[in-house]
Amino acid sequence: MSARLVPISVFQQTPSAALLKLSQLEVRAICGLQTTGQLAMMRGTNTTRILVGLICILSAFAIDQFTKTVIVEIIMQPPRVIYVTPFLNIILSYNEGISFGLFSGVFRDWSALLIWMALALAIVLLIWMIFSHSFVTTAALGLMAGGALGNIYDRVQRGKVTDFIDLHAGSWHWPTFNIADVAIVGGAIILILCSLRFTSSPN
């Protein structure tokens, strides 16, 4: 602990007043050290939290691109339907709309607009992630941002998004999707659950 200079006025007061003044100075010094330590701890926590978010982004992006490459270059040569379970097929398809093939007809001729919209959303998610104060929220936003970037990269490279996961119940099929969509939806579900827990917790 660095030495602190004691004002001369302390020694010009009565003994009781001088002792009180010294006690106040000591308390201020201790509080100052605690505040400095807390600030350092907060900085370390923020750095760790952002690192967790970046890991989630990179993981979602890397897994998405790896699975798409394997599906397109290896498994689907030649293209075919692979029956994995009674409710899951692997089938190659391309999406010109947003996630799960929504609005494909609308955005077929507006691919560049869709790329910029998705990029803007990814930037918003990144900013939200940086200023978030929760590890869980940061991880969820990282998954969403990583998934969005995965689909953006796909759209820039191919002009459309590669989908291959086909969930179905009998003759009813959910729109084909990919790992990026899983990351986006999974992150959104985590955010909703966190929000519900926060609103239901007592004040």
Side-chain angles (χ1 to χ4, degrees), residues 2-16:
S2 59
R4 297 179 63 90
L5 298 177
V6 179
I8 298 176
S9 59
V10 171
F11 300 101
Q12 295 175 347
Q13 300 175 6
T14 61
S16 58

Side-chain angles (χ1 to χ4, degrees), residues 171-190:
S171 60
W172 180 85
H173 291 255
W174 183 263
T176 312
F177 57 98
N178 55 44
I179 299 300
D181 296 327
V182 173
I184 293 170
V185 173
I189 291 174
I190 294 173

Side-chain angles (χ1 to χ4, degrees), residues 58-132:
L58 294 175
S59 298
F61 180 85
I63 294 172
D64 173 65
Q65 291 302 307
F66 175 77
T67 53
K68 287 173 179 174
T69 300
V70 170
I71 289 293
V72 173
E73 302 294 337
I74 301 175
I75 295 178
M76 287 299 167
Q77 294 295 333
R80 61 192 184 278
V81 179
I82 300 176
Y83 301 96
V84 181
T85 69
F87 57 86
L88 173 64
N89 300 331
I90 301 297
I91 182 172
L92 181 61
S93 66
Y94 294 99
N95 170 23
E96 297 179 337
I98 60 177
S99 294
F100 303 106
L102 298 175
F103 308 111
S104 294
V106 175
F107 290 102
R108 182 171 290 113
D109 299 325
W110 298 90
S111 180
L113 174 62
L114 194 56
I115 290 173
W116 284 110
M117 289 172 57
L119 186 59
L121 176 60
I123 292 173
V124 170
L125 292 173
L126 287 171
I127 295 173
W128 187 0
M129 185 194 79
I130 291 172
F131 289 98
S132 170

